[in-house]
Amino acid sequence: MNTNVFRNLSYGVYVVTTLDGSRPTGCVANSVMQITSSPATIAVSMNHDNYTNDCMKRAGVFAVSILSEKSDPSLIGQFGFQSGRDTDKFAGVSYEEQEHLPVLTDCCGYIVCKIIDQMETNTHTVFLGEVIDGDSKGTDPAMTYAYYHKVIKGKSPKNAPTYLSEEETEKTETLAKKETWVCSVCGYVYDGETPFEELPDSFTCPLCKMPKEKFIKK
Amino acid sequence: MNTNVFRNLSYGVYVVTTLDGSRPTGCVANSVMQITSSPATIAVSMNHDNYTNDCMKRAGVFAVSILSEKSDPSLIGQFGFQSGRDTDKFAGVSYEEQEHLPVLTDCCGYIVCKIIDQMETNTHTVFLGEVIDGDSKGTDPAMTYAYYHKVIKGKSPKNAPTYLSEEETEKTETLAKKETWVCSVCGYVYDGETPFEELPDSFTCPLCKMPKEKFIKK
């Protein structure tokens, strides 16, 4: 089996949110799809290790904020590469409430769901949600995972279904490249014109906002 | 609820195939996503009315052929807008066998699965498949549903989770357009430079190959 084939499946980039008691929390997901149109239901896949998974099960509800190509990529660092167990993921993030659930202001649409079924695998839960509200916002096109990967140069966190181990990724990607600087926190590959060593010390990862010293040479 | 928000979810375009006894059959699907990476599993949503759904349950296995932007769009007409109950969907279609399952030659990758779980909704089954084989083919980018919709000008068949009723679709799309010719079989909207009336009688729908007289003026 050649696991690179999974890269040919097309996804969007979403922030799935729910409530931890009364505290908003959430994480980045790619695996969201509509299952039925009437009544509308969607499925979301969520790793057992994501704190959002526990919170979704307790709250019984979740919301999906659909990121657009114009959404601030640091949202992906904020929601994708830290845990809601020990971080307030919403710190400094603008959001509104829809059906009592947090929805990011900086997105091109949202869907609010009540969980009506779930299917367990060894690492992920597939939640089936009946849509109770949803709306489009603005006209910016939705961010696809391909756009995130190719244009924003982002990677998958380890809990994502789309995660490929570093070895597999390097096998297909680096090839001719001699030296790259990679954010050790989120995997962002520095791609600017200024040589990395000459960047100011104030440089931070555009994805997860970690400081320059978190980058490692590969 | 504004159902147009569902258009902001990102999908690929796939042909899900299986066996009806020893006869290959299949249909078009958008709702395919990876659930876990190790062992690799994927989920596929399939309408109860699709003959492929019955056959998948009987066969216990299925394959996903991932269409690329260069794949012949008539495959979507062939597999998406007729039923395998009364048609040989593979008539005239080039395919190969992988793990005894039919995989389209004209695709950018395939995944073969054994069904290990399923979840029912009122209209669709969500199948969970453990991947037993898969490979990429060529370097053409995968066709996204957005590409199919915007570049190929295709629509969803009625059984698709992504289907929006004609009324809803027209509300958002036509607006300023005065007169359009639409294929009554697959919904393809004629968009050529030659006025539709002046096309030769031999004109056929580029998606589903139906003759010119199947087009209706809107």
Side-chain angles (χ1 to χ4, degrees), chain B residues 38-183:
Chain B
S38 177
T41 59
I42 64 171
V44 173
S45 174
M46 185 65 62
N47 197 295
H48 295 154
D49 291 342
N50 281 335
Y51 188 56
T52 303
N53 186 316
D54 300 343
C55 297
M56 284 168 77
K57 284 174 180 163
R58 283 199 299 272
V61 286
F62 65 92
V64 176
S65 297
I66 305 167
L67 297 193
S68 81
E69 290 183 0
K70 301 286 170 60
S71 291
D72 182 350
S74 78
L75 289 169
I76 300 169
Q78 176 105 359
F79 283 92
F81 294 96
Q82 8 176 37
S83 172
R85 261 187 206 88
D86 40 36
T87 327
D88 177 7
K89 295 254 196 135
F90 279 85
V93 174
S94 172
Y95 69 98
E96 61 199 44
E97 286 194 5
Q98 297 292 349
E99 304 286 328
H100 311 293
L101 285 171
V103 166
L104 303 190
T105 307
D106 185 5
C107 71
C108 64
Y110 70 87
I111 299 169
V112 182
C113 293
K114 179 179 72 173
I115 297 169
I116 56 169
D117 201 355
Q118 61 200 58
M119 191 159 62
E120 294 296 339
T121 71
N122 63 331
T123 55
H124 289 69
T125 307
V126 185
F127 290 99
L128 185 68
E130 185 173 319
V131 179
I132 52 183
D133 193 20
D135 204 356
S136 299
K137 293 167 69 177
T139 55
D140 293 330
M143 185 190 292
T144 60
Y145 183 70
Y147 183 92
Y148 168 64
H149 192 71
K150 284 189 196 139
V151 182
I152 307 182
K153 313 279 181 198
K155 297 213 168 177
S156 298
K158 285 205 170 170
N159 288 351
T162 44
Y163 175 73
L164 287 180
S165 78
E166 213 160 291
E167 200 182 70
E168 289 170 294
T169 309
E170 287 195 349
K171 201 167 59 188
T172 49
E173 285 188 359
T174 37
L175 294 167
K177 276 199 190 171
K178 274 181 223 117
E179 186 179 282
T180 49
W181 285 87
V182 178
C183 174

Side-chain angles (χ1 to χ4, degrees), chain A residues 2-40:
Chain A
N2 171 6
T3 54
N4 287 316
V5 65
F6 298 121
R7 289 198 182 279
N8 289 335
L9 299 179
S10 299
Y11 300 97
V13 182
Y14 311 102
V15 175
V16 176
T17 58
T18 188
L19 293 171
D20 177 19
S22 61
R23 187 181 75 114
T25 192
C27 68
V28 170
N30 299 122
S31 303
V32 174
M33 67 183 185
Q34 190 173 2
I35 302 296
T36 65
S37 58
S38 178

Side-chain angles (χ1 to χ4, degrees), chain B residues 27-38:
Chain B
C27 68
V28 171
N30 300 123
S31 303
V32 174
M33 65 183 186
Q34 190 174 0
I35 302 298
T36 65
S37 58
S38 177

Side-chain angles (χ1 to χ4, degrees), chain A:
Chain A
M1 188 199 311
N2 171 6
T3 54
N4 287 316
V5 65
F6 298 121
R7 289 198 182 279
N8 289 335
L9 299 179
S10 299
Y11 300 97
V13 182
Y14 311 102
V15 175
V16 176
T17 58
T18 188
L19 293 171
D20 177 19
S22 61
R23 187 181 75 114
T25 192
C27 68
V28 170
N30 299 122
S31 303
V32 174
M33 67 183 185
Q34 190 173 2
I35 302 296
T36 65
S37 58
S38 178
T41 60
I42 64 171
V44 174
S45 173
M46 183 67 61
N47 195 295
H48 295 154
D49 291 341
N50 280 335
Y51 187 55
T52 303
N53 185 316
D54 300 343
C55 297
M56 285 169 76
K57 284 174 179 162
R58 283 200 299 271
V61 286
F62 65 92
V64 176
S65 297
I66 305 166
L67 296 193
S68 82
E69 291 182 359
K70 301 286 170 60
S71 291
D72 182 352
S74 78
L75 288 169
I76 299 170
Q78 175 104 0
F79 284 94
F81 294 96
Q82 5 179 38
S83 172
R85 261 186 207 88
D86 41 36
T87 329
D88 177 8
K89 296 252 196 137
F90 280 86
V93 174
S94 172
Y95 69 99
E96 60 198 47
E97 287 194 2
Q98 296 292 349
E99 304 286 329
H100 311 293
L101 286 170
V103 166
L104 302 191
T105 307
D106 185 7
C107 71
C108 64
Y110 69 88
I111 299 169
V112 183
C113 294
K114 180 178 68 173
I115 296 168
I116 57 171
D117 202 354
Q118 62 201 56
M119 192 158 61
E120 293 296 340
T121 71
N122 62 332
T123 55
H124 289 68
T125 308
V126 185
F127 290 99
L128 185 67
E130 186 173 319
V131 180
I132 53 182
D133 194 20
D135 203 357
S136 298
K137 293 167 69 176
T139 55
D140 293 330
M143 184 190 292
T144 60
Y145 183 70
Y147 183 92
Y148 167 67
H149 192 70
K150 283 187 196 141
V151 182
I152 308 183
K153 313 277 182 199
K155 297 214 166 174
S156 297
K158 284 205 170 169
N159 287 350
T162 45
Y163 175 75
L164 287 179
S165 78
E166 213 161 289
E167 198 183 71
E168 288 169 297
T169 310
E170 288 194 348
K171 200 168 58 190
T172 49
E173 285 185 2
T174 38
L175 295 166
K177 278 198 187 168
K178 275 181 220 117
E179 184 179 285
T180 48
W181 286 88
V182 178
C183 175
S184 63
V185 176
C186 76
Y188 172 82
V189 180
Y190 175 70
D191 195 34
E193 289 187 8
T194 308
F196 187 82
E197 287 89 341
E198 294 170 23
L199 289 171
D201 289 343
S202 60
F203 173 81
T204 56
C205 173
L207 266 194
C208 71
K209 305 293 183 202
M210 286 294 150
K212 188 181 173 190
E213 65 260 27
K214 292 286 184 186
F215 279 72
I216 48 176
K217 199 186 335 191
K218 295 230 167 170

